[in-house]
Amino acid sequence: MKKAMTFLFLLSALLSTAGCASDDAAQDKDNPTAGATAFTMVDEAPAPQPAKSRTAGEYTGSKVKFYWTENDHLWLNTGSDVIESHHSDIGDQLAAGGGTLTKVPTATFYFHGTYTDPSYILRYTGKNGTKDKVTIAAVQTQKLPLEATQIGECGDCGVATATKNGDHYDFTLRHKAAYFTLTPFSSDSKLAGGKLSKIKITADKPLAGTFNFGDAGLDIATAPAGPSQSITLNLQGTDGTGFTLPATATPADNSATFVLPPNTYNTFDIEYTVTHPISHVPGTVTVNYTAKDFHAGANKKFAPDVKDVVFPVRYLFSDGTTGALAEAGGRTPIGVVVIEKTAGTEGTAIALTDATTPATHQAWGKLGVSPQLLNTTQSTDFNTQLADIDGYHWTYDASGSQDGTVKANNSTLGSFYTAANYNSTTPPAFSGERLGKWYLPSLGEWAKALKLLAKVTYFPTTMEEYGGSSLPTTRGKFDWTTLNTAFTAVGGTALEDYWYWASGEYNGQQATVVCFDRSPANNIFTFGTDEKNYIGCCVRAFIHF
């Protein structure tokens, strides 16, 4: 449906030329439309299709629908000058919405003076543009999927010919920027629950900068001022951490829209930054393309499958900070980050070396005592054990022990005491509440560490009970070299090809373990149980920061 803009003459009473400047200013403030001509957008009928004459974006799943937002303005080429509209009714419409509106479908813009030519050229140069300049931002930010309300601040622009029609002028804004909407998804199950925090596009020609702008639109033949050959689109989402990365392309979850100059780009690279669903650490993957065309006023749609994201290993340093190995400086690594600390979540790391040696393997609980129940709860259900991600509780909280004591302080409880008294090369120099104390990890925490660090290609769905007649029906597949390089790269030691205790209690005789088999033909790991009353397993401690 055609969207029209109406340019109406406002009849105004003649004002006396005798009067002081302050009186004129006060009158303009009280009645900003006095002595002005209005350019008004009108709809001929309710619009079932996206309008072509608005300046804030909303992605409908197929195209960008435009709206007006506060502080939008137009420029009028009078033939002798290009003047700015001095008032619009956008603010009044938003106020009438009682604070619920952020955008409107129609608007009226006012220009001082009376105009009589058969036609005029109008320009829209965005919120940050001038009469002959448009700035396409090198850093753009979108708050929510579908809601591309940022485009007016990031370089959206357009022109229109206002044609006299009786006592008014009609025009339809023709957008002169190009638009690029992506709805990324991932078929990689390991990224399920991850967040897409930003997308960066890079090309062989300027994508951002301050471009000359005239009645024909953007001048892409002339190099812009402050050019950049890349644009980064930051994605916030409802919680400020990014957009969801779903398993199928879903515009409502993560549609993201760029504003960029229309052009043909010989090289065009897209870099996706994804926050890992377990560690919260960002990783990236870049995909390279050639010969990509973007046309003025058109929205190019793209639904890429984001795979092969590289997540750099991050280390916990002795002062409680984290970073990649290259960022260590003078800091000493003491652990590998499993979960990065956020504003509302404590961080978790796994120690660089075992707390035991092959000669000092430990019993889970009291040596030679059977049966024994130490934790306040036990479970033979695999999913229940896997959901436990609080080994600290079983190690340090008296409320986690049947006898109301702290296992970390009891030298007769081998695995707990050994984990709590693990000393890294440089002891932690941070503390507070649950922070800075080594503890025996739960089975769920072991699972998170393996998913993050071991390139797991298959994850077990059952648990092997000690003394059973056969191995578990599902064994985890992983990359032993990748897992242990995280430790050995900073002077740590590889995990043993053996059993490691976890803090969960199975029953009176057994406790939970993770077992590694790194033989070339296998590279498997299993979750299971072992007899807790005799020396049999390794201990590798975890820590919160």
Side-chain angles (χ1 to χ4, degrees):
M1 174 178 292
K2 178 184 175 229
K3 301 297 175 188
M5 300 288 288
T6 305
F7 170 67
L8 300 176
F9 291 107
L10 300 182
L11 298 179
S12 303
L14 292 177
L15 301 178
S16 170
T17 58
C20 65
S22 59
D23 290 340
D24 292 340
Q27 192 170 34
D28 286 346
K29 182 177 179 180
D30 293 337
N31 185 9
T33 65
T37 302
F39 290 69
T40 304
M41 174 182 172
V42 294
D43 287 344
E44 293 178 346
Q49 300 296 326
K52 298 179 181 178
S53 303
R54 303 159 190 174
T55 60
E58 176 184 293
Y59 184 59
T60 66
S62 60
K63 58 184 69 178
V64 176
K65 184 175 182 179
F66 296 97
Y67 290 88
W68 297 106
T69 58
E70 193 169 16
N71 298 324
D72 276 331
H73 55 271
L74 298 176
W75 298 87
L76 171 66
N77 188 345
T78 67
S80 60
D81 196 6
V82 179
I83 63 172
E84 183 179 6
S85 57
H86 73 279
H87 181 66
S88 80
D89 70 342
I90 297 173
D92 294 336
Q93 292 190 64
L94 296 177
T100 62
L101 297 178
T102 59
K103 57 191 178 184
V104 294
T106 63
T108 298
F109 298 87
Y110 297 88
F111 292 83
H112 285 301
T114 301
Y115 305 96
T116 58
D117 286 358
S119 64
Y120 294 93
I121 299 296
L122 292 175
R123 302 177 185 175
Y124 173 70
T125 60
K127 296 185 185 298
N128 301 317
T130 63
K131 63 182 179 181
D132 59 359
K133 297 286 189 295
V134 167
T135 298
I136 295 180
V139 178
Q140 304 177 14
T141 300
Q142 186 168 330
K143 293 182 179 180
L144 296 172
L146 300 178
E147 295 286 333
T149 54
Q150 77 280 0
I151 64 174
E153 299 174 349
C154 295
D156 189 24
C157 55
V159 299
T161 299
T163 305
K164 186 173 177 60
N165 181 10
D167 62 352
H168 64 274
Y169 288 75
D170 297 332
F171 71 86
T172 298
L173 192 67
R174 301 184 303 278
H175 287 267
K176 291 299 183 179
Y179 312 93
F180 184 31
T181 298
L182 298 95
T183 53
F185 68 97
S186 182
S187 60
D188 184 351
S189 61
K190 294 188 293 296
L191 297 181
K195 292 290 190 71
L196 187 68
S197 60
K198 63 182 174 182
I199 307 172
K200 180 180 180 180
I201 56 176
T202 303
D204 61 321
K205 299 172 184 176
L207 289 170
T210 300
F211 293 81
N212 293 331
F213 191 85
D215 291 345
L218 283 168
D219 176 9
I220 60 172
T222 303
S228 173
Q229 289 182 210
S230 67
I231 297 176
T232 298
L233 178 60
N234 293 313
L235 307 174
Q236 294 184 337
T238 55
D239 61 359
T241 64
F243 291 0
T244 300
L245 187 62
T248 58
T250 310
D253 287 341
N254 68 352
S255 60
T257 300
F258 285 87
V259 180
L260 68 160
N263 214 330
T264 296
Y265 301 96
N266 299 312
T267 62
F268 196 84
D269 303 334
I270 308 178
E271 178 187 87
Y272 305 93
T273 299
V274 177
T275 301
H276 196 281
I278 293 174
S279 68
H280 311 306
V281 170
T284 61
V285 61
T286 300
V287 184
N288 310 113
Y289 302 93
T290 58
K292 290 298 179 183
D293 294 321
F294 294 86
H295 302 287
N299 179 46
K300 183 180 287 292
K301 297 168 291 181
F302 188 40
D305 186 358
V306 178
K307 299 183 292 184
D308 303 319
V309 178
V310 177
F311 294 96
V313 175
R314 290 182 69 84
Y315 292 94
L316 171 66
F317 302 111
S318 60
D319 62 357
T321 61
T322 65
L325 179 57
E327 302 168 339
R331 296 175 294 176
T332 302
I334 61 171
V336 179
V337 172
V338 176
I339 300 174
E340 182 61 276
K341 178 172 59 178
T342 66
T345 306
E346 61 193 8
T348 302
I350 179 174
L352 297 179
T353 62
D354 283 351
T356 54
T357 68
T360 60
H361 289 168
Q362 292 293 317
W364 185 83
K366 296 177 180 179
L367 185 62
V369 177
S370 183
Q372 56 180 300
L373 292 175
L374 301 184
N375 290 350
T376 51
T377 60
Q378 297 76 39
S379 178
T380 59
D381 179 67
F382 174 58
N383 290 322
T384 299
Q385 293 289 357
L386 206 60
D388 179 5
I389 54 172
D390 198 1
Y392 179 96
H393 171 66
W394 305 117
T395 307
Y396 282 102
D397 291 344
S399 61
S401 298
Q402 291 226 3
D403 64 1
T405 63
V406 175
K407 298 188 192 73
N409 298 335
N410 190 338
S411 61
T412 68
L413 304 181
S415 62
F416 293 96
Y417 186 79
T418 300
N421 287 276
Y422 165 72
N423 287 314
S424 54
T425 303
T426 303
F430 57 94
S431 62
E433 297 296 329
R434 292 159 50 97
L435 310 183
K437 300 176 183 178
W438 297 103
Y439 64 88
L440 186 66
S442 65
L443 202 66
E445 288 171 308
W446 266 116
K448 287 182 179 292
L450 294 175
K451 286 181 178 180
L452 175 68
L453 302 171
K455 288 188 177 180
V456 173
T457 55
Y458 190 82
F459 195 78
T461 58
T462 61
M463 185 164 58
E464 175 192 15
E465 182 176 358
Y466 177 81
S469 60
S470 64
L471 287 172
T473 55
T474 58
R475 310 177 192 180
K477 296 288 291 183
F478 74 118
D479 187 322
W480 180 258
T481 300
T482 298
L483 171 62
N484 282 311
T485 297
F487 305 117
T488 60
V490 291
T493 58
L495 291 162
E496 285 193 51
D497 181 9
Y498 209 65
W499 289 268
Y500 279 79
W501 286 121
S503 57
E505 198 164 26
Y506 187 78
N507 57 27
Q509 287 76 36
Q510 299 167 41
T512 53
V513 296
V514 56
C515 177
F516 298 109
D517 181 352
R518 67 177 178 86
S519 60
N522 290 328
N523 266 315
I524 63 173
F525 69 95
T526 59
F527 295 122
T529 66
D530 201 353
E531 294 287 342
K532 57 187 176 182
N533 67 336
Y534 70 88
I535 294 174
C537 298
C538 309
V539 173
R540 177 130 342 184
F542 281 44
I543 193 171
H544 290 313
F545 59 92

